[in-house]
Amino acid sequence: MQVNQAEDRKQYRFLDEEAIRQYVKTAGLFQGQVAIEEVSDGKINHVYRLAGDGKTMIFKQAVPYARVVGESMPLPLDRVRVEAEVLKEYYRILPGSVPEVYHLDEELAVIVMEDMFPMQMGRTALINGTETARFASDAGAFSAKTVFYTSDFYMDTAAKKELNASLTNTGMRKLTEELHFDWPFNFHETSHFEEGMRNDVLFLSQDQRLRLEVAKLKHKYMTKADALLHSDLHSGAVFMSEEKTVIFDAEFACFGPFGFDIGQFIANLFLNGIGLPQFSAKRYEQAREAWYSFVDTFSTLWKTESNEHYTQLDGYLTHVLDEIFTDAMGYAGCELVRRAISIAQIPDLNIEEDERERMERRKKVMELGRHLILERHHIHSLEELKGWFI
Amino acid sequence: MQVNQAEDRKQYRFLDEEAIRQYVKTAGLFQGQVAIEEVSDGKINHVYRLAGDGKTMIFKQAVPYARVVGESMPLPLDRVRVEAEVLKEYYRILPGSVPEVYHLDEELAVIVMEDMFPMQMGRTALINGTETARFASDAGAFSAKTVFYTSDFYMDTAAKKELNASLTNTGMRKLTEELHFDWPFNFHETSHFEEGMRNDVLFLSQDQRLRLEVAKLKHKYMTKADALLHSDLHSGAVFMSEEKTVIFDAEFACFGPFGFDIGQFIANLFLNGIGLPQFSAKRYEQAREAWYSFVDTFSTLWKTESNEHYTQLDGYLTHVLDEIFTDAMGYAGCELVRRAISIAQIPDLNIEEDERERMERRKKVMELGRHLILERHHIHSLEELKGWFI
């Protein structure tokens, strides 16, 4: 990976297509003609596929705000450095599980990386029902490996603290705190739902018992630095093919509680299954595959790779896995509620054209989310949730 | 505060008395003759009282290892910068509660600060029975204020993460992890106890249920960044006078769980009360004073100074205080066990000359520690511990 250090002191500027062509030539990434195609969903960054010299690459430039909202939602350009560092870390832990990073320019907030085409994007595959057989267990194993290898059970205590310090990612963290734990539960102006469920959303924001549990989950997310999280592991951050599953979009990464990523991933399977009832049973099974793959992988690493002597104690692994499951249910609940009624909407819940039907599904997602948040300490297996899907 | 930046690139060297005289003159701290007296207990650093120009100052230089052990226990010189930063932070939060820092030299690992003479050192006062009426409640309030004001309930999320990153203090953390959670429970070669209790110490190290609870407390200490901890708040880190109570020696400071400091402080009162039975009832009362002062102060700040909107929820404060108490009991337990049988011995448990009597007290400290660690989730008030003291 080439790195242009920020010390160059060239100023940030947004690159148009002509500037991109010039840039990649100067950086030695392409020699000849380069064709450019925008491929981002446009919510946060500018992402292009560059083609030339018989190869393709993905070129991503951040702007200092979220595109979907505008300059009123500033976002730190440093997220591009964080993303590159985290992808590198993931590549080291599990080669081939993330796109390879070819080039990072901290000053211009540019990252150039491997093009995963023609792999399917996860959310699209789930909506079309064309997902692969392996993606759920791959994602579970990915989460287990990445959190175990960046935890105090494996890493040297000093190296871990330094990695954490280099990935504080404060601006993106703050956005996660608001998006997951504040806005969905505060009847926020950015909320999104059918008018017919206005009272349901209002009552949710007045449920003091629920809000107390959300407050605890928020504080744990803010303070518990168990391991390096992807922190945005929804189905749109996954590419899949028959050969492999690849995770991308790591710009929200930071240290946090073990159960956050796997919880968010499972929630996105639930969301798709409730939004598109024809997939309901399958998504429930895939959630189980993801979780049991997480447990198997984490347990194997615990037994074979631990550097913390206390991991040899009877009962310790069970205790840690129990806490991970409880947290995963809680964070899954927050993801369900926010995707149902808050700003970060997903097509899974919005392509149904019948408003009444769409609203009923949205309500069910919100209700399952509420249930997971409130009852997480009393739910001991995914099998207890079967009735919601089958 | 003057700061000599590390950028000067002068190399670290140990300053002898003549070099210190030259140094403080060059730094403009003294003009005329300077008298030097060593005042450290010599366990870790070199500390001197400098007198001249009608004033005194404390001059502290770190060596790159722990003096008590030697070069086989390397310690980072950066701890001096951490100490200065933390004292400054504490001074901002609670002026007069820590010595004022006059001068920091990162490269030479030198800190020059306010001389608290003729205040009494806390441990000495507790051993002599000359402690002040206010020290326990002052220390409880100090802990509550410093953790509240550096928590996510008060600080801006980005500022807090950046402060945490600037105070990783990895080398000192590692030492705390070993001293509190590993060596005391592993029948370590550095252990210290009367030969007659060899089996008790051996059995303790074979108690798998106890070790599992210690493992959980260790992992929480390593991962839960609730707030800035002093992380070495034993009675030897306290100065007291009728007018005020001052905390010093912040070189172990780092972010950690809310309950750690207050737990360690309470443990040191318990230790003194069991080591010197004539003070037993008084120390128990002072432990209660410290805890209730912590609760009062923390609760008042929660209600009046919070910036986190969820703190207005009914039941949230109770939940947070319950968790702090549970953790405080657990960390107090670890402190009791380590001071009883591990390397960091204290006079409170060693001045009794009768070996049998001394050993019985040491055993009792160890047993109370074990009880607190194992039963912390079932102990709901200090009053439940009265039988150990009265």
Side-chain angles (χ1 to χ4, degrees):
Chain A
M1 183 176 74
Q2 297 168 264
V3 179
N4 277 0
Q5 294 294 339
E7 283 84 39
D8 296 350
R9 303 288 4 128
K10 59 183 158 184
Q11 284 220 301
Y12 175 82
R13 64 189 187 283
F14 179 68
L15 302 179
D16 61 17
E17 298 206 358
E18 202 34 57
I20 292 174
R21 282 199 182 82
Q22 191 55 53
Y23 182 92
V24 295
K25 196 165 271 183
T26 309
L29 296 163
F30 287 90
Q31 316 295 325
Q33 286 290 329
V34 177
I36 300 185
E37 170 198 8
E38 174 143 20
V39 291
S40 44
D41 66 359
K43 276 188 188 158
I44 297 192
N45 302 301
H46 295 264
V47 187
Y48 309 90
R49 171 172 294 115
L50 309 187
D53 305 346
K55 66 188 177 191
T56 60
M57 292 184 186
I58 294 296
F59 181 100
K60 177 168 169 178
Q61 183 176 31
V63 287
Y65 51 84
R67 284 179 75 189
V68 68
V69 179
E71 304 198 8
S72 67
M73 189 190 271
L75 288 180
L77 292 172
D78 184 50
R79 67 189 189 268
V80 172
R81 177 193 63 82
V82 169
E83 172 158 30
E85 299 244 347
V86 171
L87 289 178
K88 221 169 57 179
E89 190 69 23
Y90 285 166
Y91 204 88
R92 208 180 48 73
I93 292 172
L94 195 53
S97 69
V98 290
E100 192 176 346
V101 176
Y102 301 134
H103 179 87
L104 167 67
D105 185 326
E106 293 187 23
E107 189 74 9
L108 291 183
V110 163
I111 181 171
V112 183
M113 58 189 140
E114 188 180 0
D115 182 10
M116 302 319 298
F117 186 83
M119 293 181 83
Q120 292 190 84
M121 207 269 271
R123 190 172 304 284
T124 313
L126 290 178
I127 288 171
N128 297 336
T130 56
E131 77 279 5
T132 63
R134 58 183 296 167
F135 86 98
S137 67
D138 279 354
F142 173 86
S143 174
K145 281 192 187 165
T146 54
V147 297
F148 179 84
Y149 280 119
T150 56
S151 78
D152 286 295
F153 302 125
Y154 178 79
M155 278 188 95
D156 167 68
T157 175
K160 188 200 163 205
K161 293 299 180 302
E162 279 153 21
L163 184 62
N164 185 356
S166 80
L167 300 172
T168 49
N169 208 3
T170 52
M172 301 304 278
R173 248 184 190 285
K174 184 164 188 286
L175 188 57
T176 302
E177 292 156 19
E178 291 169 343
L179 290 177
H180 285 248
F181 307 113
D182 290 339
W183 299 355
F185 304 94
N186 288 347
F187 206 64
H188 195 265
E189 57 188 16
T190 56
S191 294
H192 171 100
F193 47 83
E194 289 75 21
E195 193 51 35
M197 61 183 286
R198 189 172 184 82
N199 276 340
D200 303 77
V201 177
L202 182 63
F203 293 160
L204 188 91
S205 75
Q206 294 168 343
D207 183 337
Q208 301 303 302
R209 207 163 61 92
L210 179 72
R211 287 164 54 82
L212 178 55
E213 295 310 313
V214 172
K216 294 177 192 171
L217 287 162
K218 178 183 179 185
H219 192 251
K220 189 162 191 177
Y221 177 81
M222 295 176 82
T223 55
K224 193 74 162 71
D226 286 333
L228 177 59
L229 302 181
H230 180 284
S231 211
D232 196 24
L233 196 55
H234 64 100
S235 48
V238 175
F239 284 119
M240 51 180 80
S241 70
E242 295 308 321
E243 292 71 39
K244 64 177 178 177
T245 306
V246 165
I247 307 298
F248 66 109
D249 253 359
E251 65 192 346
F252 281 91
C254 60
F255 274 70
F258 285 130
F260 188 86
D261 281 351
I262 186 69
Q264 188 173 17
F265 184 77
I266 287 173
N268 274 266
L269 296 172
F270 288 173
L271 281 165
N272 180 273
I274 297 174
L276 304 165
Q278 67 272 31
F279 299 137
S280 185
K282 214 157 68 162
R283 298 296 171 256
Y284 165 72
E285 285 306 328
Q286 286 159 343
R288 291 179 64 235
E289 282 168 25
W291 171 248
Y292 289 109
S293 167
F294 179 97
V295 172
D296 279 354
T297 308
F298 193 91
S299 303
T300 302
L301 295 173
W302 178 281
K303 284 165 196 161
T304 57
E305 297 275 298
S306 277
N307 293 312
E308 159 62 59
H309 63 99
Y310 280 128
T311 56
Q312 292 159 27
L313 285 170
D314 261 11
Y316 194 13
L317 174 59
T318 305
H319 167 79
V320 169
L321 286 173
D322 283 351
E323 186 173 339
I324 295 177
F325 185 76
T326 302
D327 288 348
M329 291 300 98
Y331 293 119
C334 295
E335 175 77 357
L336 289 170
V337 173
R338 84 171 181 113
R339 295 297 191 176
I341 62 169
S342 196
I343 185 174
Q345 287 292 310
I346 50 173
D348 319 40
L349 291 181
N350 291 296
I351 49 182
E352 169 59 45
E353 292 188 2
D354 181 87
E355 179 172 337
R356 193 177 175 77
E357 190 55 53
R358 195 171 67 232
M359 185 175 77
E360 288 311 315
R361 295 173 190 176
R362 194 183 304 284
K363 275 193 200 175
K364 186 174 173 184
V365 170
M366 190 177 86
E367 267 315 302
L368 176 56
R370 183 173 174 277
H371 175 72
L372 295 183
I373 294 167
L374 280 173
E375 300 303 323
R376 67 192 188 283
H377 291 288
H378 310 293
I379 301 172
H380 298 293
S381 76
L382 285 177
E383 286 69 20
E384 294 169 38
L385 301 176
K386 193 172 177 181
W388 289 81
F389 299 96
I390 295 173
Chain B
M1 181 175 77
Q2 297 169 265
V3 179
N4 277 359
Q5 295 293 341
E7 283 84 40
D8 295 350
R9 304 287 6 131
K10 58 184 159 185
Q11 284 221 301
Y12 174 82
R13 63 191 188 283
F14 180 69
L15 302 179
D16 62 19
E17 298 206 357
E18 201 36 54
I20 292 174
R21 281 197 183 85
Q22 190 56 52
Y23 182 92
V24 294
K25 193 164 273 182
T26 309
L29 295 163
F30 287 90
Q31 317 294 325
Q33 286 290 330
V34 176
I36 299 185
E37 170 198 9
E38 173 144 19
V39 291
S40 43
D41 66 0
K43 275 187 188 159
I44 296 192
N45 302 302
H46 295 265
V47 188
Y48 308 91
R49 173 173 292 116
L50 309 187
D53 305 346
K55 66 188 179 192
T56 61
M57 292 183 186
I58 295 296
F59 181 100
K60 177 168 168 177
Q61 184 176 32
V63 286
Y65 50 85
R67 283 180 75 191
V68 68
V69 179
E71 305 198 7
S72 67
M73 189 189 274
L75 288 180
L77 291 171
D78 184 52
R79 67 188 190 268
V80 172
R81 176 193 63 82
V82 170
E83 172 158 31
E85 299 243 348
V86 171
L87 289 178
K88 222 170 55 178
E89 190 69 23
Y90 285 166
Y91 204 88
R92 208 181 48 73
I93 292 172
L94 195 53
S97 69
V98 290
E100 191 176 346
V101 176
Y102 301 134
H103 179 88
L104 167 67
D105 185 327
E106 293 186 24
E107 189 74 8
L108 291 183
V110 163
I111 181 171
V112 183
M113 60 189 138
E114 188 180 359
D115 181 11
M116 302 319 297
F117 185 83
M119 293 180 84
Q120 293 190 83
M121 206 271 270
R123 189 172 305 284
T124 314
L126 290 178
I127 288 170
N128 297 335
T130 57
E131 77 279 5
T132 62
R134 58 182 297 166
F135 87 98
S137 66
D138 279 354
F142 173 87
S143 174
K145 281 191 186 166
T146 53
V147 297
F148 179 85
Y149 281 119
T150 57
S151 77
D152 286 294
F153 301 125
Y154 178 80
M155 278 188 94
D156 166 69
T157 174
K160 188 201 162 203
K161 293 298 181 301
E162 278 154 20
L163 184 62
N164 185 356
S166 81
L167 300 171
T168 49
N169 208 3
T170 52
M172 302 303 278
R173 249 183 188 285
K174 184 165 189 287
L175 187 58
T176 302
E177 292 156 19
E178 291 169 344
L179 289 176
H180 285 249
F181 308 112
D182 290 339
W183 298 354
F185 304 94
N186 289 347
F187 206 65
H188 195 264
E189 58 188 16
T190 56
S191 294
H192 170 100
F193 47 81
E194 289 76 20
E195 193 51 35
M197 61 183 286
R198 189 172 185 79
N199 276 341
D200 302 79
V201 177
L202 183 62
F203 294 159
L204 188 91
S205 74
Q206 294 167 342
D207 183 337
Q208 300 304 302
R209 207 163 62 92
L210 179 72
R211 287 164 54 82
L212 178 55
E213 296 309 313
V214 172
K216 295 176 192 171
L217 287 162
K218 178 183 178 186
H219 192 252
K220 188 162 191 177
Y221 177 81
M222 294 175 82
T223 55
K224 192 74 161 75
D226 285 333
L228 177 60
L229 302 180
H230 181 283
S231 211
D232 196 25
L233 196 54
H234 64 101
S235 50
V238 175
F239 283 119
M240 52 179 80
S241 72
E242 295 307 320
E243 292 72 38
K244 64 176 178 179
T245 306
V246 166
I247 307 298
F248 66 109
D249 253 0
E251 64 192 346
F252 282 91
C254 60
F255 274 69
F258 286 130
F260 187 86
D261 281 351
I262 186 70
Q264 187 174 19
F265 185 76
I266 287 173
N268 274 267
L269 296 172
F270 287 174
L271 281 165
N272 180 274
I274 297 173
L276 304 165
Q278 67 272 29
F279 299 137
S280 184
K282 215 158 64 163
R283 297 297 172 255
Y284 165 72
E285 286 305 328
Q286 286 159 343
R288 291 180 64 235
E289 283 169 25
W291 171 248
Y292 289 109
S293 167
F294 179 96
V295 172
D296 280 354
T297 308
F298 193 90
S299 303
T300 302
L301 295 173
W302 178 281
K303 283 165 196 160
T304 57
E305 297 276 298
S306 277
N307 293 312
E308 160 62 60
H309 63 98
Y310 280 127
T311 56
Q312 293 160 26
L313 285 170
D314 261 11
Y316 194 15
L317 174 59
T318 305
H319 167 79
V320 169
L321 286 173
D322 283 353
E323 185 174 337
I324 295 177
F325 185 76
T326 302
D327 288 349
M329 291 300 97
Y331 293 118
C334 295
E335 175 77 358
L336 290 170
V337 173
R338 86 172 180 113
R339 295 298 192 176
I341 61 170
S342 196
I343 185 174
Q345 288 291 310
I346 49 173
D348 318 41
L349 292 180
N350 291 296
I351 49 183
E352 169 60 45
E353 292 187 0
D354 182 87
E355 179 173 337
R356 192 177 176 77
E357 190 55 54
R358 196 173 65 235
M359 184 176 77
E360 288 311 316
R361 295 172 190 176
R362 195 183 304 283
K363 276 194 201 174
K364 185 174 172 183
V365 170
M366 190 177 85
E367 267 315 302
L368 175 56
R370 183 174 175 277
H371 174 72
L372 295 182
I373 294 167
L374 279 173
E375 300 303 322
R376 68 191 188 284
H377 291 288
H378 310 292
I379 301 172
H380 299 291
S381 76
L382 284 177
E383 286 69 20
E384 294 169 37
L385 302 175
K386 193 171 178 180
W388 289 81
F389 299 97
I390 294 172

